[in-house]
Amino acid sequence: MCGIVGVIGDGAVAPLLVSCLERLEYRGYDSCGMATLNSRGVEIRKGVGPVREVSERRGFARAHGGLGIAHTRWATHGGVSEENAHPHCSCDGKIAVVHNGIFTNYRALRSDLEARGHRFRSQTDTEVFAHLVEEAARAGLSVEEAFAASLRRVEGSFAIAMIAAHEPEKIFCAREKSPLILGLDAGTNFVGSDINAFLEHTRRAVLLEDGEYAIVGRAGYEVRAIAGGEAREKRALEIEWQLERAGKAGYAHYMEKEIDEQPQTVRRALEIPRPAIASLAASFAAARRRLLVGVGTTYYVALYGQYLMAALARETAQAVSSDEALHLALPDATTFVLAISQSGETFDTLEALRQARAAGAATAAIVNMPGSTMTREAEQVILQNSGPEICVISTKAAMAQLVLLSRLAAQVAFQNGRISAEAERELLAALALAPERIRELIARRRCALRRLALQHCRARSYFFLGRGLYTPIAFESALKMKEVTYLHAEGMQAGFLKHGTLSLIDEETPAVFLLPPAVQKEIYDLTMSSAEEVRARRGKVIGFGFGPRPEHFDEWIELPQAARWTAPLLHLVAAQLLAYETAVALGRNVDRPRSLAKSVTVA
């Protein structure tokens, strides 16, 4: 939630700040702002709306100064207004702050500061920090001392960056349970919520840990502990992501581009060395209890893993939504916990991982973002190497995770003797064909899916239904439709229909059935039976499946032929495209759905 960037360089940094801010906009787009430091002091420009619009309106790129900070907001405390947009400043206007996270004790701090004569301009928790630093500086502390002292007074989570007129050659920043990274380049250094902020300019990065603050100058940086102030040695990393994978490359939307990138995404997931998968499988097999943890899309990915383990490896794994892990998971030293996260910073999933570590459980993670907190806190890590996923709606990152869980289940099945080495090779060979099948689907069925979207874009509700391995795909398909179109959509087990949901079916209700290849006769027949139940209530019966259209289906999207363990991946791509085309037909802001942000890093 929220994007932070800071830049200090040899020339005017405002154009750089704008460029970096645009790359972080997927983290929040309610409002945005920037503060630069020049000979006149701290200069703040901000407003409500997307970065490009506010930047042009407020003249962001024309701001003067050789250092500055900027922010794009996803509102938590205080409504969406210019007053609540970041940066926030002290009473005297000499200190400016941007912040991602939540100060849980801000009300008590604000009351105390107001009693001391401080006047607040916003309803945010963030503004408290600027006044805390000002108050500490009034007491005679240096800017760094006041910054560190203020960090020790706030509670909760934060990634924070600050500039002060008293220190015109430094950016101060810190993190506690919210991501913050330094980017290093010759003569120009960066602070960012993630590497996308500065990937265009440098791939050298320094990762701040919880409880650390940094002072960034033109020539370098220092990192210290918040608690005691002792210096921390940090090693710069080289980030392998390439810039060209982060842009739109001529596509209308990032979502469209990232759907289209899924063949390459699958290939990269298949390139991850077998020993890494085998090590994960060994940890899985050694545990008495196995938990697959994620939230939102990654919970449905975890649920897919649960079904895979049962169907392929005959092993039990429990998918747990990480926002409920505290109440449901209850790990101990005999538990193996696999966390799944695109960003590696998802608050609930990190908390579940930490809970597991504290209980003595073995931990692992599948993560897309290199250098993220989860990559440092899990004992085993698979970096899925999907490249930057900019659209708020996750598509290619989830696809890579599904492929990796398929590989993991196959490896577990081989290790426990459920399948032979030859059968495992056959499954991997089928996965190797998936990129071409996905490309064929996108090329040959997109027009049909667009027609379907145009026909049903005014529907009140959508239902996505599947059985077995297709159940989590149905859940995720409905989530894509909800997220990007704002239409009500529900995914469920097809057998669940007759237990209440049939009452919602009428002639205006599209019901999309995810049908397996006909060779999976039992699941195929049961799913067809559920489709007949909808047909009998005059609902719109739509099928995603293989081969010619069955009788009694109103609409049919024929998918390229695929093997049993890879077929669900094609259903997911078809559902992603249907959601995308429906959103375009409705004129939605595809890459920036209302009320959503990419990385949920607050409780």
Side-chain angles (χ1 to χ4, degrees):
M1 302 298 193
C2 302
I4 290 174
V5 64
V7 183
I8 181 167
D10 292 326
V13 298
L16 278 177
L17 283 169
V18 173
S19 170
C20 294
L21 203 58
E22 287 178 342
R23 291 189 174 278
L24 285 179
E25 192 169 16
Y26 61 88
R27 298 182 70 95
Y29 33 86
D30 294 336
S31 57
C32 60
M34 63 186 289
T36 54
L37 190 55
N38 53 49
S39 58
R40 296 188 298 274
V42 174
E43 180 182 341
I44 293 178
R45 304 179 185 216
K46 60 184 181 178
V48 172
V51 171
R52 184 160 297 180
E53 176 187 312
V54 178
S55 174
E56 291 176 357
R57 193 168 72 238
R58 299 293 190 222
F60 281 10
R62 297 192 298 274
H64 299 289
L67 78 163
I69 55 177
H71 184 273
T72 182
R73 184 175 187 239
W74 188 86
T76 54
H77 290 72
V80 179
S81 66
E82 187 165 321
E83 292 77 16
N84 290 332
H86 298 218
H88 294 288
C89 65
S90 55
C91 291
D92 61 11
K94 293 182 178 180
I95 296 165
V97 172
V98 293
H99 165 227
N100 176 30
I102 295 174
F103 296 139
T104 55
N105 62 334
Y106 85 100
R107 293 185 187 278
L109 292 171
R110 178 167 176 154
S111 294
D112 179 63
L113 288 163
E114 287 176 331
R116 293 173 180 271
H118 289 263
R119 295 293 174 260
F120 285 76
R121 301 177 179 88
S122 77
Q123 292 79 51
T124 69
D125 57 331
T126 301
E127 191 182 353
V128 162
F129 193 83
H131 294 282
L132 282 175
V133 177
E134 182 181 35
E135 183 71 13
R138 286 177 182 173
L141 299 183
S142 69
V143 173
E144 180 183 347
E145 290 169 338
F147 182 70
S150 300
L151 292 171
R152 291 191 285 270
R153 292 193 65 186
V154 293
E155 298 170 2
S157 63
F158 56 81
I160 196 160
M162 183 188 87
I163 58 174
H166 323 67
E167 288 279 12
E169 301 296 323
K170 296 175 181 176
I171 296 175
F172 298 85
C173 60
R175 85 163 262 173
E176 178 64 36
K177 298 181 182 178
S178 286
L180 200 65
I181 301 174
L182 310 184
L184 309 178
D185 198 13
T188 303
N189 290 319
F190 301 83
V191 175
S193 296
D194 63 50
I195 61 173
N196 285 318
F198 48 76
L199 189 63
E200 182 180 0
H201 308 287
T202 181
R203 295 203 298 273
R204 288 187 66 225
V206 171
L207 313 176
L208 294 188
E209 305 286 350
D210 286 349
E212 291 181 340
Y213 75 88
I215 308 130
V216 183
R218 290 176 177 83
Y221 64 94
E222 297 176 22
V223 178
R224 298 187 180 278
I226 292 173
E230 64 272 14
R232 296 277 178 88
E233 291 295 323
K234 308 294 287 188
R235 182 171 61 91
L237 303 177
E238 190 74 20
I239 304 298
E240 295 180 0
W241 281 0
Q242 299 298 316
L243 174 62
E244 57 269 19
R245 285 165 64 182
K248 278 188 185 176
Y251 287 86
H253 303 98
Y254 280 112
M255 185 179 180
E256 179 188 24
K257 173 178 178 280
E258 288 159 9
I259 290 172
D260 208 41
E261 286 176 340
Q262 288 180 115
Q264 302 96 291
T265 299
V266 173
R267 290 191 188 97
R268 287 195 290 271
L270 292 173
E271 288 168 1
I272 289 168
R274 178 186 170 93
I277 305 295
S279 176
L280 211 59
S283 297
F284 180 96
R288 180 181 61 83
R289 184 164 171 248
R290 300 85 172 226
L291 302 177
L292 309 178
V293 178
V295 67
T297 285
T298 54
Y299 169 65
Y300 296 141
V301 169
L303 192 61
Y304 187 83
Q306 175 180 317
Y307 274 86
L308 267 176
M309 286 296 178
L312 179 57
R314 300 294 186 215
E315 296 282 3
T316 300
Q318 179 186 0
V320 179
S321 186
S322 57
D323 61 314
E324 291 293 313
L326 181 66
H327 312 292
L328 292 175
L330 306 177
D332 57 25
T334 68
T335 308
F336 172 72
V337 176
L338 176 59
I340 306 167
S341 172
Q342 190 282 137
S343 69
E345 304 289 353
T346 309
F347 182 88
D348 292 322
T349 308
L350 269 172
E351 289 299 298
L353 187 70
R354 288 163 177 160
Q355 175 194 355
R357 287 181 59 192
T363 60
I366 296 174
V367 180
N368 188 37
M369 185 71 75
S372 59
T373 302
M374 216 169 282
T375 66
R376 306 196 295 281
E377 297 201 7
E379 294 168 317
Q380 292 177 269
V381 176
I382 299 290
L383 277 174
Q384 63 189 70
N385 194 27
S386 303
E389 186 178 66
I390 304 302
C391 181
V392 169
I393 309 303
S394 183
T395 51
K396 66 175 183 175
M399 177 62 69
Q401 291 157 357
L402 295 174
V403 171
L404 288 169
L405 286 176
S406 299
R407 290 186 62 188
L408 176 61
Q411 181 64 213
V412 170
F414 169 67
Q415 288 184 2
N416 69 11
R418 295 292 182 181
I419 63 173
S420 65
E422 181 181 358
E424 185 193 15
R425 285 194 295 272
E426 288 175 358
L427 191 151
L428 293 175
L431 284 173
L433 293 174
E436 187 53 41
R437 299 292 182 266
I438 292 171
R439 188 170 299 286
E440 181 183 346
L441 166 62
I442 294 170
R444 297 187 179 181
R445 297 293 177 264
R446 184 166 176 184
C447 287
L449 287 161
R450 183 179 295 128
R451 287 195 296 271
L452 196 62
L454 289 168
Q455 183 177 348
H456 297 292
C457 66
R458 301 296 175 185
R460 295 191 306 273
S461 294
Y462 257 96
F463 289 94
F464 292 85
L465 303 113
R467 287 178 181 262
L469 199 55
Y470 296 86
T471 294
I473 300 298
F475 293 158
E476 172 62 7
S477 298
L479 181 61
K480 293 299 94 149
M481 184 65 76
K482 283 186 283 195
E483 287 177 315
V484 76
T485 69
Y486 319 150
L487 298 177
H488 173 263
E490 188 172 351
M492 69 177 65
Q493 307 94 319
F496 207 85
L497 261 178
K498 64 174 69 71
H499 298 280
T501 308
L502 271 174
S503 65
L504 300 178
I505 299 296
D506 60 24
E507 59 273 12
E508 301 299 323
T509 307
V512 180
F513 287 87
L514 310 183
L515 284 127
V519 293
Q520 292 179 252
K521 182 170 172 42
E522 182 179 4
I523 293 180
Y524 181 89
D525 288 346
L526 287 169
T527 308
M528 289 292 290
S529 175
S530 298
E532 289 291 347
E533 292 171 352
V534 172
R535 179 77 177 180
R537 276 92 184 156
R538 299 184 180 180
K540 299 293 183 183
V541 183
I542 300 167
F544 291 176
F546 305 90
R549 180 170 73 177
E551 189 179 1
H552 303 315
F553 273 73
D554 296 300
E555 303 284 348
W556 180 255
I557 301 296
E558 183 179 349
L559 306 176
Q561 290 300 319
R564 174 183 180 182
W565 304 110
T566 56
L569 306 181
L570 300 183
H571 289 80
L572 179 57
V573 175
Q576 292 169 349
L577 282 169
L578 179 61
Y580 172 78
E581 294 293 352
T582 303
V584 171
L586 291 170
R588 305 301 193 220
N589 192 336
V590 173
D591 290 330
R592 303 167 188 162
R594 69 186 183 198
S595 303
L596 302 181
K598 184 69 175 172
S599 300
V600 183
T601 58
V602 295

